[in-house]
């Protein structure tokens, strides 16, 4: 017997895969060193000094499991947003929560509506539970929420997903339109409104925390991985109607959160002064990335996130050559995976010295790339 | 609409639950303070100073996601056990891995064999995927592996689980018998051999790492939560045939591990001197717990783990009264949930001052408990 014969039919069909190849794998496989890690939409400015202190203090307590009810963390999040603790649940990053939501709702063959070129990890989870992806193309580099609504109704889909602000395009839809969308959606369709980049969005994009809390068919996802600079902590959360938030308690890994990560998240919420400061730095870094792009004849798209998506003006192969070429210079960035979005590259914010490396490398890479076309 | 109507039929049936109530919840709900946290089979001696150093050093890197392939960690684990990196996979504690295994194999109605009174979190996952638990009673406070084998064959079960050393009884089965069991099992039945307490077991209990590696139907689980003192880090791993280890890559949350936790685990593996020292302390603490039990007229069972299970000589209500009474004194312990195991209480190791509190509290609690019978 070469392999176990009784994995489920679904499991047998699934590929062993990684939705995103990490910079560590690129270093290993291409024998390169990442000097500027500005590709994974992390926040290179890092967490607050007060958060580093909290991590250091929590270090000696790491022999203890985390509270399986995550009471203190949920209380801090609820208080921060002005909602009730039973309207909050937490998980191992938004990625982990997305998997749980799909599990709660989707079985083999069920339609799930999302944007063509949207978040690959969401698609991975849908496929992992046998769901059928129904995709709606982007419109002018923005999520087409009219198209998403139409598709959800047409397919009688139990689940629809989009991110606002959007990844990978960095665009954003007015909060008022998002609320309209959610209220127009059949109550038999669950909306996942992924607000991972909520903290970096300009005013008017993120609806009030309680704007949709009366709707059992809306789950909003947030994270400490982006503006809070805690991607390595793996703490995401949902804001939802209490009945919906409670559903996670039926299936989640109760002891799944890292105790130091929880302490870091609680400390991060307390230090809103630092958050405000870092959001300023993120905005300035976005500007600089856009300037670098323009100085090289490329077209930066408007961004409400911690990255800038840049239209390189040609096809996916051209953008791929730039991504690969920058990596040869030690600059790790990424790009959207699907046409026509894949005419773009996507560069995450980071401190000045990292953007200096980008500024130095980009003209060289563009020259090489243009010559080889 | 009071709740979302389209959760799956299975999800609608599941209760919102917590397999283990944490000491934090007891503190909140009973307005008590835990002075001795010796109930969750944690290792109160904590991780090595070298691990604390590694955590502190990793703190500033927590803005980065963890390598989704967990290459360095898997390599370190593989090297430690003398197996190949593709025979190792990692997850958010054994709890997280158990959920993934059940998901890969079990669908609604399928039989899953385990011991009556065995690990509740495994049962939680089986129920969570609609499996049907087929339980085999313990025999002389030990897993009845003959009974488990018979049940697995009789039911044509796709999955069988037991822990060796065992939780909650602390008993252990000779490694040679475990290997015989695994080789006698139909190749259409997956065995989960949970070796969470592998490091604290005496010689002869844990088979060589490669003893069953040729069997695609055997998954051995290990953890950094027990002897390594890193319960809060949530790092568990499997040792399995490469085809079986790879199956996790079809469904796992690739960015689910905490970066500081990974750094801690790698550092912990490197410090085998500390591990040896702490295993000595665990052994001494077990002896002291057993002595305290005997001095109070209770009967400690032999233990191959980081806890001691103590036969209190009466029924579950009596043991429950002792558990609740000790908590009133600030001493948090637990007990098995099912008769006849629930005539026992279960006390985890910890430093001397914590066991002093136990020693002081137990006679008082026993006196009160006996008076109220």
């Amino acid at each position: 017997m070469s392999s176990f014969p009784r994995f489920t039919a679904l499991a047998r069909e699934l590929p062993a895969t990684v939705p995103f190849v990490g910079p560590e794998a690129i270093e290993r496989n291409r024998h390169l060193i990442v000097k500027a890690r500005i590709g994974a939409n992390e926040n290179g400015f890092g967490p607050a000094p007060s958060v580093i202190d909290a991590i250091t203090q929590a270090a000696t307590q790491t022999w203890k499991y985390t509270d399986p009810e995550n009471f203190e963390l949920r209380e801090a999040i609820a208080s921060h947003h002005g909602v009730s603790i039973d309207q909050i649940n937490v998980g191992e990053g938004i990625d982990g929560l997305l998997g749980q939501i799909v599990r709660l709702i989707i079985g083999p063959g069920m339609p799930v509506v999302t944007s063509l070129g949207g978040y690959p990890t969401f698609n991975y989870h849908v496929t992992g539970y046998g769901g059928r992806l129904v995709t709606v193309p982007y419109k002018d580099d923005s999520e087409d929420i009219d198209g998403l609504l139409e598709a959800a109704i047409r397919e009688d889909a139990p689940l629809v997903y989009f991110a606002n602000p959007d990844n990978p395009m960095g665009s954003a839809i007015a909060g008022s339109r998002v609320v309209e969308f959610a209220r127009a959606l059949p109550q038999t369709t669950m909306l996942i409104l992924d607000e991972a980049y909520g903290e970096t969005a300009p005013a008017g994009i993120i609806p009030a925390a309680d704007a949709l809390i009366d709707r059992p068919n809306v789950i909003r996802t947030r994270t400490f991985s982006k503006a809070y600079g805690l991607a390595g902590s793996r703490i995401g959360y949902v804001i939802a109607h209490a009945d919906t938030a409670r559903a996670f308690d039926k299936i989640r890994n109760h002891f799944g959160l890292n105790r130091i990560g929880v302490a870091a998240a609680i400390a991060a919420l307390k230090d809103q002064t630092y958050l405000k400061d870092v959001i300023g730095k993120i905005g300035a870094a976005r500007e600089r990335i856009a300037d670098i792009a323009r100085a090289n004849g490329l077209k930066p798209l408007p961004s409400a996130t911690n990255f800038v998506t840049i239209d390189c003006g040609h096809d996916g192969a051209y953008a791929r050559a730039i991504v690969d070429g920058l990596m040869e210079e030690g600059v790790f960035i990424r790009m959207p995976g699907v046409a026509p979005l894949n005419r773009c590259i996507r560069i995450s914010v980071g401190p000045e010295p990292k953007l200096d490396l980008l500024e130095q490398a980009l003209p060289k890479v563009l020259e090489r790339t243009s010559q080889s076309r």
Side-chain angles (χ1 to χ4, degrees), chain A:
Chain A
M1 179 176 55
S2 66
S3 67
F4 181 66
R6 263 171 124 178
F7 288 121
T8 65
L10 178 56
R12 285 197 301 271
E13 280 171 22
L14 294 172
T17 186
V18 179
F20 286 99
V21 178
E24 297 84 0
I26 297 174
E27 288 184 317
R28 285 191 299 271
N29 299 334
R30 292 180 62 191
H31 306 288
L32 296 169
I33 302 288
V34 171
K35 297 174 199 161
R37 183 170 163 132
I38 49 175
N41 297 354
E42 297 158 334
N43 173 3
F45 299 108
S50 62
V51 171
I52 303 290
D53 284 352
I55 290 172
T56 306
Q57 282 172 37
T60 58
Q61 302 301 303
T62 194
W63 61 273
K64 298 176 185 171
Y65 289 104
T66 310
D67 173 15
E69 297 177 24
N70 299 302
F71 186 87
E72 197 187 344
L73 175 59
R74 287 191 299 128
E75 194 174 53
I77 294 168
S79 166
H80 175 69
H81 287 296
V83 299
S84 156
I85 187 170
D86 60 358
Q87 292 164 337
I88 299 292
N89 219 328
V90 296
E92 302 91 345
I94 290 177
D95 284 3
L97 293 163
L98 291 177
Q100 291 173 27
I101 297 166
V102 174
R103 177 177 165 192
L104 285 166
I105 298 174
I106 297 302
M110 290 185 189
V112 177
V113 174
T114 184
S115 299
L116 179 64
Y119 192 46
T121 305
F122 177 69
N123 298 352
Y124 165 81
H125 288 306
V126 171
T127 305
Y129 287 98
R132 176 170 61 84
L133 285 165
V134 177
T135 56
V136 175
Y138 278 66
K139 197 172 175 179
D140 302 330
D141 295 328
S142 191
E143 307 263 9
D144 176 10
I145 60 172
D146 295 333
L148 290 166
L149 181 62
E150 191 275 322
I153 292 170
R154 185 188 70 231
E155 298 276 347
D156 187 23
L159 187 59
V160 56
Y161 168 93
F162 72 93
N164 191 48
D166 178 60
N167 177 24
M169 299 311 282
S171 52
I173 293 164
S176 57
R177 288 195 62 212
V178 171
V179 171
E180 273 170 35
F181 172 95
R183 297 206 172 272
L185 205 62
Q187 298 190 337
T188 47
T189 299
M190 179 69 81
L191 166 63
I192 304 176
L193 174 58
D194 186 347
E195 298 179 323
Y197 300 95
E199 288 80 8
T200 57
I205 300 301
I206 304 297
D210 62 356
L212 294 163
I213 207 86
D214 61 313
R215 311 287 289 186
N217 66 324
V218 176
I219 297 174
R220 298 168 69 176
T221 58
R222 301 291 289 258
T223 184
F224 289 92
S225 298
K226 306 301 179 184
Y228 286 107
L230 290 172
S233 289
R234 314 313 306 125
I235 314 268
Y237 59 97
V238 300
I239 308 174
H241 187 287
D243 284 350
T244 300
R246 194 181 303 118
F248 293 85
D249 292 336
K250 299 176 168 199
I251 60 161
R252 68 191 176 87
N253 178 7
H254 292 79
F255 291 90
L257 292 198
N258 176 291
R259 191 176 180 96
I260 293 175
V262 169
I266 291 170
L269 278 174
K270 281 186 187 150
D271 200 338
Q272 293 293 314
T273 306
Y274 180 85
L275 180 69
K276 198 177 164 190
D277 179 57
V278 93
I279 288 170
K281 286 181 181 165
I282 289 170
R286 280 195 312 231
E287 287 301 312
R288 177 147 184 232
I289 294 168
D291 288 345
I292 293 170
R294 277 187 289 262
N296 284 277
L298 306 178
K299 185 185 156 202
L301 306 184
S303 169
T305 63
N306 70 346
F307 60 86
V308 180
T309 302
I310 298 166
D311 186 342
C312 299
H314 299 287
D315 61 3
Y318 183 74
R320 169 56 57 199
I322 296 172
V323 169
D324 289 347
L326 281 172
M327 185 61 222
E328 280 168 30
E329 304 292 324
V331 178
F332 166 67
I333 68 165
R334 282 196 178 128
M335 62 180 284
V338 174
L341 312 183
N342 68 355
R343 72 190 192 284
C344 299
I345 57 176
R346 199 194 68 181
I347 303 179
S348 310
V349 299
E352 290 289 329
K354 303 303 177 185
L355 300 189
D356 293 345
L357 292 174
L358 171 69
E359 188 167 36
Q360 292 151 22
L362 187 57
K364 284 193 278 185
V365 171
L366 286 173
E367 195 182 338
R368 286 205 303 266
T369 306
S370 300
Q371 281 171 354
S372 67
R373 288 188 84 221

